[in-house]
Amino acid sequence: MSQIFHHSTNTIARVSIFGTVFGIAGGLWLMLELNRSSYVTDVGVAKEQPVPFSHAHHVGGMGVDCRYCHTAVETSAQAGIPPTKTCMNCHAQIWSQSPTLEPVRSSLRSGQSIEWVKVNDLPDFVYFNHSAHVNKGVACVTCHGRVDRMPLMWQHASLQMEWCLDCHRQPEKYVRPKAEVFNVAWEPPSDWVANGKGRELVKQYGIKPRTSCSTCHR
Amino acid sequence: MSADSKLAPGEMRVEFGGVRPRHERGRALWRSLDQLEQSPEFLEFLHREFPQNASEFTDPEGRREFLRVMSASLALAGLVACTKQPAELIVPYVRQPEQIVPGRPLFFASAVLDGGYAKGVLVESHEGRPTKIEGNPEHPASLGGSDAVTQAAILELYDPDRAQTVRSFGEIHSWAEFVAALQPVLEKQRARKGAGLRIVTEVVTSPTLRKQLEELLLELPEAKWVQWDATARNARAGATLAFGEAVETRWHLDAADVVVSLDADFLAAGPASVRQIRDFASRRKIDGEHAKLNRLYAIETTPGLAGVNAEHRLPVRPSELDGLVRALAAALGLPVAGGTSAHAAWIGPLAKDLQAHRGASLVMAGDSLSPAAHAIVHLINERLGNVGRTVSYSAPVAAAPIDAVAALTELVAEMSARKVEALFILGANPAYTAPADIAFADAMMLVPFRVHFSLYDDETSERCHWQLPEAHSLEAWSDALAFDGTATIVQPLIEPLYVGKSAHELLALLSSRPDRKGYDIVRDHWRSRLGADFEKAWRRALHDGLVAGTALPEKAVAVKVGDWTKAAVEPPASGIEVVFRPDPTVGDGRGGNNGWLQELPKPVSKLTWENAVYMSLATAKQLGVRTSSNYEGRTESAGEPTPQGTITDVVQLALGERKVSGPAWVLPGHPDGVVTVHLGYGRWRAGRVGNGAGFNAYALRSGASPHWEAGAQLVKTAFTTRVACTQDHWSMEGRHLVRSGSLDEFEHEPRFAQEMGEDPPKATTLYPPHPYEGHAWALTVDLNTCVGCNACVTACQSENNVPVVGKDQVARGREMHWIRVDRYFEGRPEQPDSIETWSQPVMCMQCENAPCEVVCPVTATVHSDEGLNDMIYNRCVGTRYCSNNCPYKVRRFNFYLYQDWTTPTFKMMRNPDVSVRSRGVMEKCTYCVQRISKVRIDAKNEGRPIKEGEIQTACQQACPAEAIVFGDQNDATSRVAKLKASPRNYGILTDLNTRPRTSYLAAVRNPNPEMPKASHG
Amino acid sequence: MASPAPSHTRHEHDERFQTESDRLIAPGHDFASVTDSISKIVLQRRTPLGWWLGFAAAFGVMQLLLYAIAHLLFVGIGVWGVTIPIGWGFDIINFVWWIGIGHAGTLISAILLLLRQEWRTSINRFAEAMTLFAVACAGFYPIFHTGRPWVAFYWLMPYPNTMGLWPNFRSPLIWDVFAVTTYATVSAMFWFVGLIPDLATLRDRAQSKPWKIVYGMLAMGWRGSAKHWHNYETAYLLLAGLATPLVVSVHTVVSFDFATGIVPGWHATIFPPYFVAGAIYAGFAMVLTLSIPLRKFYGLEDFITMKHLENMAKVMLATGLIVAYGYMCEAFFAWYSGNPYEKYMIVNRMTGPYALSYWALILCNVIAPNLLWSKRLRTSVPFLFFISFVVSIGMWLERFVIIVTSLHRDFLPSSWGLYAGTQFDWAAFIGTIGMFLTLMFLFVRFLPAISIFEMRTLVPAAEMPEEEHQ
């Protein structure tokens, strides 16, 4: 009986058995990694904007308060994107001729809104409420990162559900004194965790983060 | 697509037969455009603003193109196990209006018109988009409640089928062109003092409009103004007969212990219906164990809400009414002749009861009663000392009260005689609504200049030279009066979506000052009336939604007894008698293109999307009309239920030459030998939603007797048709779903309802109990006050973005309403007067042991810490297991892409706080969790607890009877907790240990022991 | 293989039974003839025209399935007859039906192997194939019956996802996912392992090089050495042991879909045993349906003898009686529980809108199988073929009755409804049958439909050790 296969094929046959198992496992692992990668989440990807507005300059450089532009953040679900008028409050005087600001001026002239590209974009079936968070000692930077260091805005957190749940399940890790909510530079003191300051605040502010689905999905 | 999704009459897909195939060949469309243009379908197709979803209501499987993309992309997303969102834009304001905080709705007080009368509303507005209409607690016609029609006005505003441009013979024109065309005509009429000018309006209550019209008539004294109301009421003639002047009658049901409804559908229709429900229900509230309830006797010619809620119900032939009223009067010792002896057993105790409650009784006369009968009823009320207590009179609310039918007849005569040279029709649709024997549609064609000013390009528009788009009442400034004369300034919430103008602006065009804006016209009128400090008063009026102190004062009038007390010499009625009624949902046809109203089940019959020829079982048997019976041979439902809808026989109804045919529908409790047909259907130019639905009952109606007519021929044809009924089955099958008892039973055993079932011990579950430390949301429905008016259904539909699915889908049992009103009959169907009807609103029960939760494989429905069954649409994969396992069947499934994702106006209409559900997803009532969250967050931000009554579900808010109460059952002081403690409180199917959070309060009726037994079977 | 136990039982056979209908293999066969007559089916040069015709027909019908599924994906579940309240229809009916059919295979191969039932040898191979294909058909439905298959197929799987969510392990549908996938995997392995020696035989006998390579790769270097045989025996027995509990578990779990629900007509403790019995019942019916034409067409009467058919008939009779008992229990519970909903359910089944399907079910599943008491009928091939069809239909009706008549009138009369399959329901159903037959045809063409090496153990000459004959 003539040999069809070379002797080595036996080994290949054996290897293939394990190969398939590991292959599948590896594929799945890759999928999970991909799902959390910035390719999917866009974390850290700076977005082109019609006007290259720099938080680094306005917040970091000139120390403009978040609420000067995002007026609704304490009272509404949305933080609110400033109307063109707000920009012109200053830029009617400063840089009033700068070509980069032309879109702003023309917007005011024509009454056509500036179309900003959304950076932190939650799916439409997620109902996030800014006021509920900033009023309970969750800082802007906790979710949006150090905007004062972002020349162009990019997404800081994955905004994936596991990320939301992480804080909702153990808020003490993230809350800070209400006074510091809009302070981008505030860092918890070294002994913060050690003497359970977080827990105190959670008790003091009556923080009961809900994990019921209807908290965010309706 | 498939044979079994055959198109029902109402469906428009046929229209696009010529277009869609080309569409599906994609690029072929462009190559064949020119051929396409030839085809009439395509012209139609072009005329429509948003062709891609031309049949969104009636053909959910229609938008294939979209679905291809959808499922393809989603499938792909699935494969890579992640969805990368497309980049979205943020478009902020340029100059942000002061009061607007993005993400926080504003509320504005205004009014929605119902047959010309104002119903006060608060309109919710999100960044300038009105999204939801609610009753105005300050307003006398609302007191916070509202009705289905008012709720549905929001859909009307955004209806893409509304007239959007000035048209002449289908051609698009501008207002300027119209004005140009108008000038010569006006010149001529001015010269002739308006001799050839006729203006037809609907009932006008707007003081401003009235003033404008009167001014115009002063300018052109020869011109005439006709008010046409298809559902014109005999009440006016009756009042004139009794008092010598046309006074408005007002009923004060809150003061009446004994109420007699003589075919008066006072809970369903009319400008005061919402208020009347409130007042009526207020006398059926039971606090504690000893109640003082009112008692309702309903004598009706067709089963209506009055009969549903009556202790004693007497179905009669309309021809009997007159004799009955006279007999009643006689029994009360009044000098009235011509009473019949029929139903003496009924009249006797009734009269006795009325006598026993002098000054606290109320007799109400309905439209179908003759003027004489109305006069007699006035006499009865007067002699019973009810005037000033339960009934009062005031000057007429509507402008220039006239007999509509007479006026229209005269107009037709003039038009036929070519005396009319210019005809302006404002709002009304007489070409469709005029009685068959008044040939308005033909006569109007003899007028050389015809203008129709209306919301829709409808049956009348098609016969006019000019069709002018009317601005919706949410788009323009106006004013209107409520049933009691209270004035409301109607303020716009949004710029006109299209080029519509208000009636005021149109009349300005006819006047010497053509270019005045509606705002100025209305303001100027009120400037004269609000007197000193106008601005303040005006602001106040806008804020409150009414002008304080404008209600008409009561008027002291005395009945002048006349010949009408003498026996009327009428020939005895023969043959089948036909009762004409405006449709409970689409009214006289004005709601025809409103998907919410079309899909809203009719209160008693539960039919949708069409009218039918209602008849009693006996009448049906005589005709050989099919019904279906259970295995005991008992008739259990009308028609022949099938998986694709109920098959019914088509019957033809003839009054002399006038003939209509429509589906026969058996209604238990309907009087024998009588059939009821509802007006408002069979429209051919309503729009894509309403066209071709039902049959046109106006074609059978005569101006002489518009409410009922005897001597009809009724024959069964060889044809059958398929109707969409949401509840075929009549009986409760002996299951204690609606629990009721008499007042005696209640006083003897307050817990009678709880006795009817037993709940298993709480421990009988394997799962650990939920703690519910915080709030525990719960809801009760009081079956004693609920009248079954359907307001809650439409309110929910509006609040929760519930889609409309179309007749075919409803027929297949796929309607999407999150709350439904179940209707059950008790008694012997073959014996109309033995029938008792019960209605029971059913929404998600939010079970504490929810059968739906355990079976969902992907945890798309789970228990919240506050006891709600959260439904997470974006997690749902649509196994439908939860629905199978839900004993209450309150879950609704998106079998197709029901929601219209393409029409821009509908995007504006939706509630931004509720996800718009997609295809293949289960949905259900969540106690308006978006409202709960909003209040919770606000309360937390303000560092305070949630106030009692601060959260209202949409159904609760709309309920005119205040039958629905929502709240926190953990808070012992809350209303809901108190009601749950009531002895009448019970849950349905609790023997399954579902422990529903929604519970019911048993109905307690207050029957008169002396009445003949049969009448409460 | 030289295990003493079987040879012993075989002696008893030889002594006691002589009649034609009791033989497991016709006389006059030796190893060569067995190997020839089975392997030639696969190795013959020209494919018989009959095969081509049959395959073409089956393949054509399978296209229906593709059409039905494509249309379903584009348009939505609405193209099916399902509504509220009848949320499940043909989809789950067919799923349960196919899964049921998928039972006989593993039962025959595993349980009968452990019980040393030698009559299994000639039918186990294609019974296992049938199992696999039936499970494949069944596998369609759980995915495509969902509203959003494109997410369902991975949201049902437990894996550490970005939502921080697990599927709901309380839901019987999740249990299904595991039960069915496990069953499919194990029976596939069992089948393949069983094939290895025969694949080797084919490798050695195949004329053309390509086929040698293909079969060679599949044979995974089987040389039939004593060591091979030894490992092989152990592996095969282990797998059999592994597969055995699955036979019982799968349909038990499937029955939980209903038993755990509160719907009257579903919520019954009898469900697991009577579903398993029903499954075996349906399974054997299908084996008969397939084996009878197979033995005729390829002239395998020598190997699939009357005794095989009769034994299968006996199993059907037994399981049929258990199923009948199940129906009786349902009726009894309804009456004895005094539960109004249960009572209404059973009365409605017998007299309501779907009474016809209920009585048809009783006729097919209760009355018909009792004819198998008669030896004459039991041994008549045409009758067996006929009865096997009747039973298949009966078992389909059983699922229809359980699902539809229970759901269409449950608790609130206000939301009662009616159900009927649309042509897309039918297309999907018939389509899966087409797919099943297509796979079956491919199987008999390219793989030995009967286990050669096991058949050889039945040859009298198999007294002596196997190896010599390699």
Side-chain angles (χ1 to χ4, degrees), chain B residues 1-4 61 64 67-68 71-72 74-75 77-79 81-82 631 636 641-644 726-729 731-733 735 737 767 812-814 820 822-824 842 851 853-859 873-881 883-889 891-893 895-897 919-922 988-989 991-992 994, chain C residues 71-89 91 142 145-156 159 161 163 165-174 256-258 260-263 266 339-341 344-345 347-348 351-352 354 407 409-416 418-424:
Chain B
M1 30 163 290
S2 56
D4 52 73
E61 62 264 52
R64 303 241 175 90
L67 295 182
R68 282 211 176 74
S71 43
L74 283 173
L79 286 171
C82 66
Y631 52 88
E636 65 180 1
T642 74
Q644 293 80 31
T726 58
Q727 189 183 348
D728 291 316
H729 203 79
S731 144
M732 235 178 290
E733 294 295 335
R735 302 172 184 186
L737 305 173
Y767 298 113
R812 290 160 192 278
R814 295 171 178 178
R820 59 174 196 263
D822 286 351
R823 174 271 294 132
Y824 299 105
V842 178
E853 286 169 3
V854 280
V855 297
C856 174
V858 293
T859 59
Y873 311 118
N874 45 297
R875 176 69 176 174
C876 177
V877 300
T879 65
R880 303 183 296 294
Y881 198 173
S883 170
N884 290 345
N885 216 32
C886 171
Y888 307 96
K889 289 292 174 281
R891 295 179 153 266
R892 298 288 176 249
F893 187 67
F895 288 92
Y896 290 114
L897 189 74
R919 188 187 118 203
V921 169
M922 190 64 72
I988 53 176
L989 302 181
D991 48 342
L992 300 172
T994 50
Chain C
H71 188 75
L72 183 77
L73 283 178
F74 285 146
V75 180
I77 289 291
V79 302
W80 285 349
V82 285
T83 73
I84 308 292
I86 306 105
W88 287 346
D91 44 9
H145 98 284
T146 63
R148 304 198 296 165
W150 47 87
V151 283
F153 79 90
Y154 67 98
W155 281 358
L156 288 168
Y159 67 97
N161 53 35
M163 293 166 277
L165 272 186
W166 297 106
N168 178 8
F169 293 107
R170 295 189 297 174
S171 167
L173 282 185
I174 288 294
F256 286 163
D257 289 349
F258 308 102
T260 57
I262 63 170
V263 180
W266 286 11
N339 177 325
Y341 313 116
Y344 185 91
M345 178 275 298
V347 173
N348 181 51
T351 60
Y354 296 103
L407 283 173
R409 290 185 171 180
D410 59 353
F411 294 99
L412 293 190
S414 65
S415 35
W416 287 356
L418 292 168
Y419 172 84
T422 66
Q423 69 265 51
F424 289 98

Side-chain angles (χ1 to χ4, degrees), chain A residues 149-165:
Chain A
R149 296 175 185 167
M150 297 182 188
L152 270 183
M153 198 62 183
W154 63 73
Q155 186 179 323
H156 168 72
S158 77
L159 303 186
Q160 281 166 331
M161 187 163 144
E162 58 184 2
W163 171 82
C164 305
L165 285 172

Side-chain angles (χ1 to χ4, degrees), chain C residues 54-65 98 133 137 427-441:
Chain C
F55 177 76
F59 192 72
V61 176
M62 188 171 99
Q63 304 315 307
L64 262 183
L65 178 65
W98 278 119
F133 304 153
C137 292
F429 178 40
I430 297 166
T432 43
I433 296 178
M435 172 171 132
F436 177 75
L437 291 177
T438 312
L439 293 168
M440 240 15 222
F441 271 103

